[in-house]
Amino acid sequence: MVSAPTPPMGWNSWDCFGTTVTEAEVLANAQVMHDQLLPFGWDTVVVDIAWYDPTARSHGYNENAPVVLDDYGRQLPAPLRFPSSASGAGFKPLAAKVHALGLKFGLHIMRGIPRRAVELDLPVYGTEWTAREIADPDHVCAWNPDNLGLNHDHPGAQAYYDAQVAQFAEWGVDFVKADDMLAPYHDREIAAYAQAIARSGRDIVLSLSPGTHLSTHHVEHLRANAQLWRISDDLWDRWEDVHAQFARLARWAPFQQAGGWADADMLPLGHIGIRAERGDDRDSRLTGDEQKTLLTLWVMGRSPLMMGGDLPTTSPETLALLKNPALAEVLRSSYDGREIVREPLDDGELIVWTAQGDNCSYAALFWTGGAAREVQLPADLPAPTRDLWTGTQTTVREYTIPAHGVCWLELSSRYL
């Protein structure tokens, strides 16, 4: 079983480039991560959906896309977008460049087998079966047209995933985001993909999406087969999206443990929407205080952190938030993160989260109202010692929290 002892921190191309990211853009983001963010824990670069579609566009998916495949129906990067993949090299050259920067390389893949592979009835690598024999046309993705399902009553379905992941491993892939796995919950698909990773011989982290209405009922199956799993649909730069994650993360927090992490989705921060599936070119519409709230909630809930904005064109102010050393400190060393207070007050809620550290504890006081409010650190918590957003020492117990804002504190000791 691949391990993910702590939640990963990285960058994903979806929020800024949607289906259209290019090799040059991936490398530009990897370079900024190496130069500015790697010392603060950020180390994973992920190419999101449709890297095999040479006709990919903003704001949607293409029907009957001329996806690039090898002779066995496995997706290949579109050479016009990823020039180093020419002549069947796949992502191996790009992954090598990312690895040379001290980073990990990841990619997105859809559940199932490409429609084009089935139309061409291509052979399944290492078998006498063909794509048409193993396809399941009755269980297809409702929102993306690229693939048909796989019939897991046929052994060729597992053989196809084995061959696909073996190719990823040969390219040097460290992280796979497998989509259309959780809504509805495809237990056999998830187990088959985990089996393929185990057979590949490479440590590859498996991240499952999209997580719409995902129930904690599945937690044991998830832990047995994956390292990350989304707990919501796509999250965008709207306060209502962030606010909805408070309840989801509170529900999943008791289940967070080394090797298996509930994922509250990417961080729609910085320069997003450049050629995205949702919205136009823009800087994140979240206020600075809302951005701090998002980051603090994700860390206290121990969700993976995947930056969604284009790093080279993101403002220094946003990059400064990502460079806060407290993010990696609390994300990677705390435990028992949980919501302990949810109190309606006037036009909002006071929500308090706590987490334990080795020789200290942490508290986050969130205020969801539309105007600033003075709040008290709960009396049963230890004395504060440090403000984790300013880095300054503090001993006071009363704070003015801005609209949709947070006060994030290190406390003097652990507590029961």
Side-chain angles (χ1 to χ4, degrees), residues 180-190 208 214-215 218-223 225 229:
D180 193 37
M181 288 287 196
L182 301 177
Y185 194 87
H186 293 281
D187 54 348
R188 296 182 72 185
E189 294 276 357
I190 294 166
L208 303 174
L214 182 65
S215 170
H218 300 293
V219 69
E220 293 304 324
H221 187 261
L222 290 164
R223 286 173 176 166
N225 292 286
W229 46 88

Side-chain angles (χ1 to χ4, degrees), residues 23 68 76-93:
E23 180 168 357
V68 183
L76 293 172
L80 289 176
R81 294 169 52 198
F82 300 92
S84 71
S85 72
S87 303
F91 272 132
K92 191 169 187 177

Side-chain angles (χ1 to χ4, degrees), residues 381-408:
L381 295 182
T385 59
R386 179 166 55 118
D387 184 312
L388 293 174
W389 274 116
T390 66
T392 59
Q393 302 300 306
T394 183
T395 58
V396 300
R397 301 186 70 96
E398 184 173 308
Y399 300 90
T400 300
I401 303 181
H404 302 169
V406 63
C407 178
W408 194 21

Side-chain angles (χ1 to χ4, degrees), residues 220-239:
E220 293 304 324
H221 187 261
L222 290 164
R223 286 173 176 166
N225 292 286
Q227 292 73 56
L228 315 176
W229 46 88
R230 280 265 300 281
I231 58 172
S232 72
D233 203 348
D234 287 358
L235 177 128
W236 286 99
D237 51 330
R238 301 175 296 198
W239 169 246

Side-chain angles (χ1 to χ4, degrees), residues 172-314:
V173 171
D174 305 297
F175 182 105
V176 170
K177 175 184 174 182
D179 214 336
D180 193 37
M181 288 287 196
L182 301 177
Y185 194 87
H186 293 281
D187 54 348
R188 296 182 72 185
E189 294 276 357
I190 294 166
Y193 221 89
Q195 178 76 286
I197 289 175
R199 290 174 174 174
S200 77
R202 183 173 178 83
D203 286 342
I204 299 175
V205 169
L206 178 58
S207 172
L208 303 174
S209 288
T212 311
H213 306 305
L214 182 65
S215 170
T216 59
H217 169 74
H218 300 293
V219 69
E220 293 304 324
H221 187 261
L222 290 164
R223 286 173 176 166
N225 292 286
Q227 292 73 56
L228 315 176
W229 46 88
R230 280 265 300 281
I231 58 172
S232 72
D233 203 348
D234 287 358
L235 177 128
W236 286 99
D237 51 330
R238 301 175 296 198
W239 169 246
E240 57 265 34
D241 286 20
V242 176
H243 185 264
Q245 300 300 65
F246 278 96
R248 293 189 179 101
L249 280 168
R251 184 166 65 249
W252 279 92
F255 300 97
Q256 299 285 51
Q257 66 179 38
W261 306 106
D263 179 0
D265 201 15
M266 285 175 285
L267 313 173
L269 307 180
H271 189 187
I272 62 175
I274 299 169
R275 297 190 307 277
E277 184 266 348
R278 194 75 55 86
D280 296 321
D281 190 344
R282 64 194 184 278
D283 287 326
S284 177
R285 294 172 295 196
L286 297 174
T287 68
D289 290 313
E290 289 168 349
Q291 293 177 42
K292 289 180 180 178
T293 290
L294 183 156
L295 286 164
T296 306
L297 177 62
W298 267 231
V299 169
M300 293 295 284
R302 303 200 77 188
S303 168
L305 299 181
M306 284 288 171
M307 170 63 175
D310 179 51
L311 296 174
T313 56
T314 284

Side-chain angles (χ1 to χ4, degrees), residues 31-61:
Q31 190 66 55
V32 175
M33 183 175 289
H34 168 270
D35 294 347
Q36 299 195 48
L37 299 181
L38 183 58
F40 300 94
W42 303 84
D43 66 0
T44 302
V45 171
V46 181
V47 177
D48 212 274
I49 195 168
W51 40 268
Y52 40 78
D53 182 0
T55 62
R57 59 183 175 84
S58 304
H59 301 130
Y61 304 102

